[in-house]
C-alpha cells in the first residue's frame, strides 16, 4: 500500500481488494477474473517467510498478476485456455460445475458493469453468499400473453448470468398470479383472462423460457447448472382462501403494503385499486417464501418496478420462516433512447415467440437499433465481453467504420440467444436473400419462414408449372397486367428465385418450384412476393 512499501501477499490483497479491482476492470473481464482468483488463492494460503512484493496504487495489475503467479507455483495460468483446462480437470473431483469455479464471486460485479443491477436488498451479504456456494435464483413471468417480449428478455439475461457464474436459474411461471394481475407500473387494472387463455399463455411462455435458457447454457464457456421452470399454480391451486389468510395473511402488515409505490400511485389515481390487485404483492411475496423453504431459492430478481413485490417476499420470509439469507435484486427496465420502454402494449411489440415474430423479423428489428442504443443494448442483452464492446464503441467514431457493423453484431448475438443457432442462420439467409438485387440461393424452409413477413400468394400447381413468368406475375398481383410484367422483364427488373428473368416468354418449370413447395418472384429491387404452390 502507499504507506507500507513491503507487505505480505495476503495482507496486501485483503487491504487493496477494491483498489486492485478498479485498476484491473478497464483491462477486461477475463483479466479481472484471473486477478480476483489469484488474490483469493493467495489470501487463503499461508505465505512463506521472506516472500514479499511491492503493491502500490501505481502497481500495474498485469505486474501484480505476474508477481502472484510466480509466488504460487501450484497455480500458474499462462493463458485463458490453460486456465479453462485446469478448471475442467479439477471438475472431476469438484462437487460444483466448472462455471461455479470460473466466476461465482463475480456475478454482482458483472451485473453492475453491464448496467443490469438497479438495486439490491443487501449487496455485501449477497456477494459473500455467492462466494460461499451455489445459489438458486428465480425470476417470475406472468402469462398475460402467449409470448414474452424484448422487455422480458432482461430477466432471462440476468438469470443466464447467474447460471454462467455457477448458480441455478429458476424461471417461475405465474399460473396463479396471472389470474390476479400485477398492478406495478399500470394505471388501470388488467383485464381478467379466462382459464383456457391463461393455460395456453403459460404453455407458450414455458416453451420460450426453456428454449432461451437452453440456448444460453449451450453458449456458456463451461458446464453450467441446468435451468428449472416451475409454476406457482402448483402450490396456490390447492390452497383455500381461509388457509391463505391464516397461514400467510397474518404475517403481512397493511401499513407496509400501503407504503409500496405501486400501491400509493394507484390509490391516488381516479380509478383507485381493487382488493384483488392490492393482494398481488402478498401472493408474489409468498412465492418467494415457498421457494425459499421448499427449494432453497435464496435470490429473487426482477425489473425495477418489482422492488415493492420483491421486498414483500424478503419481509415475509423473515416473519414466516424466521430466517435471514434471502435477497432481492432488481435490474433497470429496458428503455429506448427516447425513454420509451419495450412492451407488448407498444405498437409492433418485439415478441420472442417465432410464431408471433419470425427470427428474420426479430433480427431485422435488432439490426435497426440506433447508434444511441446499440452499445447499451449490447452490454445489457448480450454476453459479449465488455472489452470487446468498448472496442466496438471506439470503432464507431473512427475513420473507416462501416455503418451498422455494431448493429449487425448486436442482432446476431441476441437472435442466437433467443432463437438459437438455427434461427440465426435462417434470419441471415433470409436477410441476404431479400436484399435488393440479391442473387442468394434460397431454400424452402427459409422462404416459408418468411410467409408472415413478405406478401404471399397461393396458386395451384397447374397455375404455375408450365406457365410464363409474365402470367404468374399478373395472376398473383405482383404486376397489374401482363403488359406491365413484360416491361418489367424487358427493363431487367424481374427475378425468379433471385435469378434475373431475361426472356419475356420464359416459363416456370417444375425445377423452379423449390423443394416442390415455394418460389420467390421479384419486380424491382424491393417488391418481392412469395408464391406457395399447392
Amino acid at each position: 500500500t502507499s504507506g507500507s512499501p513491503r507487505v505480505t501477499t495476503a495482507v496486501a490483497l485483503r487491504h487493496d481488494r477494491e483498489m486492485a479491482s478498479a485498476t484491473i476492470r478497464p483491462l477486461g473481464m477475463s483479466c479481472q477474473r484471473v486477478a480476483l482468483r489469484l488474490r483469493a488463492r493467495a489470501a487463503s494460503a499461508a505465505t512463506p517467510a521472506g516472500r514479499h512484493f511491492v503493491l502500490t496504487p501505481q502497481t500495474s495489475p498485469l505486474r501484480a498478476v505476474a508477481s502472484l503467479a510466480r509466488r504460487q507455483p501450484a497455480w500458474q495460468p499462462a493463458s485463458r485456455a490453460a486456465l479453462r483446462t485446469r478448471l475442467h480437470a479439477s471438475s472431476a473431483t469438484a462437487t460444483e460445475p466448472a462455471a461455479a469455479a470460473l466466476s461465482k464471486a463475480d456475478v454482482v460485479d458483472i451485473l453492475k458493469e453491464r448496467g443490469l443491477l438497479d438495486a439490491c436488498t443487501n449487496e455485501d451479504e449477497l456477494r459473500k453468499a455467492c462466494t460461499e456456494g451455489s445459489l438458486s435464483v428465480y425470476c417470475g413471468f406472468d402469462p398475460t400473453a402467449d409470448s414474452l417480449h424484448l422487455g422480458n428478455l432482461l430477466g432471462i439475461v440476468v438469470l443466464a448470468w447467474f447460471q454462467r457464474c455457477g448458480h441455478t436459474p429458476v424461471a417461475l411461471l405465474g399460473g396463479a398470479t396471472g389470474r390476479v394481475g400485477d398492478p406495478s407500473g399500470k394505471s388501470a387494472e388488467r383485464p381478467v383472462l379466462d382459464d383456457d387463455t391463461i393455460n395456453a399463455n403459460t404453455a407458450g411462455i414455458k416453451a420460450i423460457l426453456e428454449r432461451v435458457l437452453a440456448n444460453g447454457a449451450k453458449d456458456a464457456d463451461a458446464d453450467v447448472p441446468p435451468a428449472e421452470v416451475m409454476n406457482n399454480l402448483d402450490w396456490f391451486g390447492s390452497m383455500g382462501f381461509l388457509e391463505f389468510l391464516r397461514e400467510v395473511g397474518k404475517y403481512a402488515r397493511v401499513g407496509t403494503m400501503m407504503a409500496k409505490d405501486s400501491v400509493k400511485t394507484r390509490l391516488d389515481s381516479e380509478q383507485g385499486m381493487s382488493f384483488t390487485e392490492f393482494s398481488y404483492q402478498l401472493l408474489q411475496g409468498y412465492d418467494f417464501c415457498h421457494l425459499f423453504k421448499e427449494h432453497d431459492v435464496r435470490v429473487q430478481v426482477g425489473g425495477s418496478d418489482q422492488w415493492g413485490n420483491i421486498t414483500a417476499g424478503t419481509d415475509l420470509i423473515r416473519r414466516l420462516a424466521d430466517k435471514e439469507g434471502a435477497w432481492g435484486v432488481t435490474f433497470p427496465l429496458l428503455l429506448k433512447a427516447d425513454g420509451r420502454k419495450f412492451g407488448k402494449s407498444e405498437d409492433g411489440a418485439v415478441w420472442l415467440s417465432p410464431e408471433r415474430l419470425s427470427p428474420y423479423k426479430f433480427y431485422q428489428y435488432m439490426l435497426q437499433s440506433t447508434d444511441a442504443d446499440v452499445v447499451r443494448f449490447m452490454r445489457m442483452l448480450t454476453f459479449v465481453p465488455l472489452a470487446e464492446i468498448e472496442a466496438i464503441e471506439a470503432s464507431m467514431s473512427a475513420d473507416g467504420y462501416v455503418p451498422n457493423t455494431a448493429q449487425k453484431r448486436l442482432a446476431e448475438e441476441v437472435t442466437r440467444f433467443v432463437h438459437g443457432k438455427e434461427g440465426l442462420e435462417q434470419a441471415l439467409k433470409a436477410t441476404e436473400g431479400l436484399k435488393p438485387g440479391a442473387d442468394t440461393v434460397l431454400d424452402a424452409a427459409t422462404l416459408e419462414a418468411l410467409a408472415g413477413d413478405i406478401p404471399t400468394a397461393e396458386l395451384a400447381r397447374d397455375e404455375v408449372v408450365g406457365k410464363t413468368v409474365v402470367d404468374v406475375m399478373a395472376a398473383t398481383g405482383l404486376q397489374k397486367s401482363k403488359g406491365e410484367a413484360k416491361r418489367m422483364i424487358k427493363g431487367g427488373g424481374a427475378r425468379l428465385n433471385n435469378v434475373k428473368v431475361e426472356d419475356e416468354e420464359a416459363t416456370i418449370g417444375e425445377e423452379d418450384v423449390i423443394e416442390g413447395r415455394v418460389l420467390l418472384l421479384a419486380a424491382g429491387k424491393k417488391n418481392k412476393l412469395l408464391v406457395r404452390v399447392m
Side-chain angles (χ1 to χ4, degrees), residues 4 24 44 47 77 104 117 134 187 219 224 234 280 292 299 355 429 489 492 526 529:
S4 304
I24 292 166
S44 63
T47 305
K104 197 185 304 173
L117 196 150
S134 180
S187 58
D219 288 341
V224 296
D234 291 342
Y280 184 91
F292 180 86
V299 183
E355 289 75 30
K429 278 185 182 179
I489 293 174
K526 296 183 179 180
L529 177 75

Side-chain angles (χ1 to χ4, degrees), residues 140-149 152 174 176-194 198 201 205 262 266 271-274 276-278 280-281 284 305-306 309 333 341-345 351:
F141 303 87
D142 275 353
T144 53
D146 60 0
S147 173
L148 300 174
H149 53 75
N152 300 128
T177 45
R179 287 164 163 79
V180 174
D182 183 5
S184 301
K186 298 297 178 183
S187 58
E189 189 163 358
R190 296 175 185 267
V192 177
L193 303 177
D194 61 72
I198 291 174
N201 290 352
I205 291 175
S262 59
R266 287 293 299 278
Q271 289 192 335
M273 173 181 259
S274 70
T276 300
E277 287 185 300
F278 180 67
Y280 184 91
Q281 60 177 291
Q284 184 171 330
D305 59 348
Q306 292 294 306
N309 294 335
L333 300 180
K341 71 176 184 178
F342 292 90
K344 59 182 177 296
S345 57
W351 299 105

Side-chain angles (χ1 to χ4, degrees), residues 469 494-501 507-509 512 519-522:
V469 174
R495 287 176 176 258
L496 171 62
N497 297 331
N498 283 341
V499 178
K500 183 183 288 188
V501 179
T507 59
I508 298 174
D512 295 315
L519 56 85
L520 183 68
L521 291 172

Side-chain angles (χ1 to χ4, degrees), residues 354 358-360 420-432 443 445-450:
S358 70
Y360 164 74
K421 182 180 177 181
E422 297 77 10
L424 174 60
E425 290 175 351
Q426 185 185 95
L428 292 175
K429 278 185 182 179
T431 299
E432 285 298 311
D443 58 80
T446 299
L447 288 175
E448 288 182 333
L450 294 172

Side-chain angles (χ1 to χ4, degrees), residues 135 159 175 280:
L135 303 176
L159 286 180
Y280 184 91

Side-chain angles (χ1 to χ4, degrees), residues 134-437:
S134 180
L135 303 176
S136 289
V137 184
Y138 97 93
C139 185
F141 303 87
D142 275 353
T144 53
D146 60 0
S147 173
L148 300 174
H149 53 75
L150 190 61
N152 300 128
L153 188 60
L154 274 187
I156 306 176
V157 170
V158 171
L159 286 180
W161 273 120
F162 272 98
Q163 184 180 35
R164 287 171 179 239
C165 293
H167 307 289
T168 300
V170 177
L172 181 64
L173 295 164
T177 45
R179 287 164 163 79
V180 174
D182 183 5
S184 301
K186 298 297 178 183
S187 58
E189 189 163 358
R190 296 175 185 267
V192 177
L193 303 177
D194 61 72
D195 286 357
D196 289 341
T197 300
I198 291 174
N199 291 337
N201 290 352
T202 301
I205 291 175
K206 180 182 180 182
I208 292 170
L209 290 168
E210 290 175 339
R211 182 188 76 237
V212 178
L213 286 168
N215 291 340
K218 287 178 185 176
D219 288 341
D221 291 338
D223 293 336
V224 296
E228 299 179 34
V229 179
M230 301 183 188
N231 188 336
N232 61 15
L233 189 62
D234 291 342
W235 50 88
F236 277 125
S238 59
M239 182 180 289
F241 182 62
L242 292 178
E243 180 185 359
F244 182 76
L245 289 179
R246 185 180 68 247
E247 301 298 330
V248 182
K250 69 178 182 179
Y251 293 99
R253 293 296 172 263
V254 174
T256 303
M257 295 174 70
M258 295 279 287
K260 305 295 184 184
D261 288 340
S262 59
V263 173
K264 288 193 293 186
T265 301
R266 287 293 299 278
L267 289 178
D268 292 339
S269 69
E270 188 175 327
Q271 289 192 335
M273 173 181 259
S274 70
F275 173 76
T276 300
E277 287 185 300
F278 180 67
S279 65
Y280 184 91
Q281 60 177 291
L282 192 54
L283 296 174
Q284 184 171 330
Y286 183 72
D287 279 339
F288 197 1
C289 191
H290 175 87
L291 291 170
F292 180 86
K293 292 196 302 180
E294 302 298 329
H295 302 281
D296 197 29
V297 174
R298 309 279 297 281
V299 183
Q300 180 182 179
V301 301
S304 56
D305 59 348
Q306 292 294 306
W307 180 253
N309 294 335
I310 290 174
T311 54
T314 55
D315 183 62
L316 190 61
I317 288 171
R318 282 192 295 269
R319 294 176 180 275
L320 200 155
D322 194 24
K323 288 183 179 180
E324 299 290 338
W327 300 278
V329 174
T330 60
F331 47 83
L333 300 180
L334 186 64
L335 302 177
K336 303 175 186 177
D338 59 10
R340 290 184 298 143
K341 71 176 184 178
F342 292 90
K344 59 182 177 296
S345 57
E346 300 284 346
D347 292 338
V350 188
W351 299 105
L352 306 188
S353 165
E355 289 75 30
R356 285 270 199 149
L357 193 71
S358 70
Y360 164 74
K361 274 290 191 182
F362 184 89
Y363 176 88
Q364 289 297 315
Y365 188 91
M366 300 309 302
L367 191 62
Q368 292 165 16
S369 299
T370 65
D371 286 350
D373 285 329
V374 64
V375 173
R376 182 166 50 86
F377 286 174
M378 200 174 294
R379 285 195 185 99
M380 298 178 78
L381 294 173
T382 79
F383 304 93
V384 176
L386 286 178
E388 190 172 343
I389 294 175
E390 289 166 3
I392 292 172
E393 183 177 20
S395 72
M396 292 174 68
S397 57
D399 293 337
Y401 174 73
V402 178
N404 285 336
T405 299
Q407 281 83 348
K408 286 180 181 178
R409 181 64 185 278
L410 170 69
E412 289 175 6
E413 294 292 333
V414 181
T415 303
R416 182 189 296 110
F417 182 48
V418 174
H419 293 289
K421 182 180 177 181
E422 297 77 10
L424 174 60
E425 290 175 351
Q426 185 185 95
L428 292 175
K429 278 185 182 179
T431 299
E432 285 298 311
L434 293 179
K435 280 198 307 189

